[in-house]
Amino acid sequence: MVDESKRNTLKVLGAGVVGLVVGLAGGYAIGASSKKGATKTVTVTKEVGGGAAAKPSGIPSKPLKIGFMYFMSGPFGTYGKMAGAALEIARDEINSRGGILGRKVELISKDEADRQHVIDNIVKMVQEEGAEILIGIDSSGDSLKLIKTIEEELRVPLIVTHAATPKLTECGKRKYIFRISMYEEPIDIAAAELVAKMYPDAKKVASIGPDYAYGWDSWTVFSSRLKELMPGVEFAEPIYVKLGTTDYTSYIDKMIAAKPDIVFSSLWGGDAATFFKQAASKGLFKNIKAYLNPMLGATDTLKAIGDENVPSGVDIWGSGRYWFNYPPHDVYSLNKSFVEKFKAKTGEYPPYVSGTSYTALYAVKNAIELAYAELGKWPSPEELIKYLEGLTVAGPMGPVYIRPEDHQGVYYVYWGKLAKGGPLGFPHPVLTDLEIFDFGKVVPPPFKTYVKCG
């Protein structure tokens, strides 16, 4: 569970702190800020643009349009709907206080499930519909496809909240692209650390993942780090499958035949749930010590799995970019408040993409306000970038520090053990016995990655 030192830190953060200092978040951030002088503290002393406060001068009168893109339909459609709901909560909170410097926030969206028109739709939101800032992107492959369009054509900030490939931020400095969500590399490194700690006698590891950038990179990072920690471990040939696969029977048979001690899976969304239920039905979990999935900490996926499919006698571990019960609600009121609002709006516990999308909108707000405080005017995209770099923003997952070097958000990484939710008062399986990894331990320095760039 959460150790006492982290609980004490979180108590500080949960005690109504609005000004956030990077140093609270850990040793790495302190080092980075001291080198670059880039640490930014956002201290709000009064409501700007709300209540009786005067509207700042030089602020555009029209609403600030923010465009977001997620899978809004199909087998991964829940991701987009939950992310959109969280953005609406953040928008409503901000607008109820007068907007950003008096400027109301307006959301527009496109469906990433329209795979043939991802780039066209992003361009349309900016050039035809007036989006000044972009948020979202589920697919790692889509995020990589958008780099040239964002950096060379649109030149507006894109805050990525889900796509997780290290290549987006760690294989080259981007100017306009940021990622507020934890990328996959630290989570996969933490998975290897977990296996080495919990299952030091494991001899063989099998894997299955989606057949594109995220699946390939996730396995590369996990297996590379595990080999360093456990040089004698053997890896079965990795299995990659297309997104939307519905029958995993042959793949599960192949894994059972390989007789692994550990199974690592980077399947996500509906694919993760479908595989899990078929694996449980065919008895895969009866023959292994542990199953790890870095995307299992998604409440929509856990709901699709259901308590009835949670096996006994095997350790099932899951992680993600945010878990709704961490930081603990009794010491971090922002997470408690967000979960309550999300449940009231959707009837569901928030999945990780909701926590990261909510945080992205507040990062935009804080950076704009900080820029205005220093510049005395609404910032241009290039000016806004300078205030996003080195910013620390409070999100439901705790403080997120945006590294100025690579524009990557970093915060605590967790892994939790799967348990039936019913006995604990939840409507679906949940993660318990959380193992928390300081990002100073599992997050590589900027531009250091196990994956091959280029």
Side-chain angles (χ1 to χ4, degrees):
M1 299 298 288
V2 182
D3 66 41
E4 193 58 31
S5 64
K6 291 186 175 64
R7 292 180 67 87
N8 289 335
T9 298
L10 293 164
K11 282 180 180 179
V12 173
L13 297 171
V17 176
V18 178
L20 292 172
V21 181
V22 172
L24 286 172
Y28 172 76
I30 293 173
S33 62
S34 63
K35 286 186 291 186
K36 301 287 290 185
T39 300
K40 294 176 174 61
T41 301
V42 178
T43 302
V44 179
T45 56
K46 65 179 181 179
E47 293 288 344
V48 179
K55 184 177 180 178
S57 60
I59 305 301
S61 58
K62 64 181 181 181
L64 171 63
K65 283 190 178 180
I66 296 179
F68 69 89
M69 174 179 282
Y70 296 100
F71 286 99
M72 306 292 286
S73 61
F76 305 101
T78 304
Y79 273 83
K81 294 172 183 174
M82 296 295 103
L87 282 169
E88 290 171 0
I89 291 172
R91 176 202 61 192
D92 293 344
E93 289 176 349
I94 292 169
N95 285 345
S96 70
R97 300 177 186 130
I100 301 176
L101 299 172
R103 197 177 177 192
K104 295 289 186 180
V105 174
E106 184 177 316
L107 299 174
I108 58 176
S109 66
K110 298 293 182 187
D111 189 350
E112 193 178 341
D114 183 7
R115 305 304 302 283
Q116 301 301 314
H117 300 98
V118 166
I119 293 177
D120 291 342
N121 284 333
I122 282 283
V123 171
K124 185 178 294 183
M125 279 200 288
V126 174
Q127 295 186 344
E128 297 181 16
E129 300 176 24
E132 298 176 44
I133 296 164
L134 299 167
I135 289 175
I137 308 301
D138 281 318
S139 164
S140 288
D142 289 344
S143 72
L144 297 177
K145 285 194 304 185
L146 285 168
I147 291 175
K148 185 175 182 180
T149 301
I150 296 295
E151 297 283 306
E152 299 180 11
E153 181 179 354
L154 299 179
R155 297 178 181 177
V156 298
L158 165 63
I159 315 294
V160 174
T161 61
H162 186 194
T165 176
K167 293 174 182 172
L168 182 64
T169 55
E170 305 311 306
C171 289
K173 178 67 180 288
R174 319 300 179 195
K175 182 174 181 179
Y176 295 91
I177 297 174
F178 293 77
R179 178 161 50 197
I180 201 86
S181 52
M182 182 61 77
Y183 64 120
E184 71 189 54
E185 187 141 3
I187 297 173
D188 296 334
I189 289 173
E193 301 275 353
L194 186 67
V195 169
K197 173 184 175 182
M198 298 289 191
Y199 313 101
D201 297 330
K203 304 296 184 186
K204 192 170 187 179
V205 179
S207 72
I208 184 169
D211 193 13
Y212 73 106
Y214 167 69
W216 309 329
D217 295 344
S218 187
W219 174 245
T220 295
V221 173
F222 171 75
S223 59
S224 298
R225 180 57 182 148
L226 187 59
K227 198 69 175 178
E228 293 174 349
L229 297 169
M230 300 171 62
V233 72
E234 179 185 354
F235 299 125
E237 182 181 355
I239 298 171
Y240 296 111
V241 299
K242 292 183 178 179
L243 284 176
T245 294
T246 57
D247 184 358
Y248 292 92
T249 302
S250 62
Y251 306 118
I252 294 169
D253 288 342
K254 186 176 181 179
M255 279 191 281
I256 292 175
K259 299 181 178 179
D261 300 300
I262 308 290
V263 170
F264 178 84
S265 170
S266 56
L267 297 173
W268 58 282
D271 286 1
T274 301
F275 171 80
F276 192 99
K277 289 188 284 189
Q278 292 180 13
S281 176
K282 288 188 69 66
L284 173 65
F285 300 130
K286 295 178 181 177
N287 298 292
I288 60 176
K289 294 179 179 179
Y291 171 86
L292 295 92
N293 186 320
M295 303 285 270
L296 193 61
T299 51
D300 52 326
T301 301
L302 296 173
K303 183 179 179 181
I305 289 173
D307 272 1
E308 68 276 14
N309 290 303
V310 175
S312 58
V314 60
D315 292 343
I316 307 290
W317 292 92
S319 185
R321 289 94 180 98
Y322 159 68
W323 177 244
F324 72 87
N325 260 347
Y326 185 81
H329 294 189
D330 61 331
V331 297
Y332 189 62
S333 61
L334 175 56
N335 193 29
K336 179 176 185 293
S337 170
F338 174 71
V339 171
E340 290 174 348
K341 290 180 180 179
F342 194 89
K343 281 192 69 180
K345 183 178 181 66
T346 68
E348 307 285 351
Y349 287 97
Y352 56 73
V353 73
S354 59
T356 55
S357 58
Y358 176 91
T359 306
L361 192 47
Y362 272 97
V364 169
K365 174 181 182 294
N366 290 356
I368 290 173
E369 292 179 344
L370 188 58
Y372 183 84
E374 291 192 4
L375 303 175
K377 69 183 186 68
W378 188 269
S380 68
E382 289 73 23
E383 290 167 337
L384 181 58
I385 286 167
K386 295 179 182 177
Y387 291 90
L388 284 167
E389 293 177 337
L391 182 75
T392 298
V393 58
M397 70 287 281
V400 179
Y401 170 61
I402 301 175
R403 298 192 298 200
E405 298 93 338
D406 59 354
H407 292 184
Q408 175 62 55
V410 293
Y411 47 96
Y412 290 121
V413 172
Y414 76 88
W415 277 87
K417 193 176 289 185
L418 189 68
K420 293 184 178 181
L424 300 174
F426 295 100
H428 50 65
V430 293
L431 299 179
T432 63
D433 300 327
L434 298 187
E435 293 280 337
I436 306 299
F437 298 82
D438 287 339
F439 56 74
K441 180 178 181 181
V442 298
V443 180
F447 307 119
K448 297 293 184 183
T449 175
Y450 283 103
V451 305
K452 292 183 179 179
C453 298

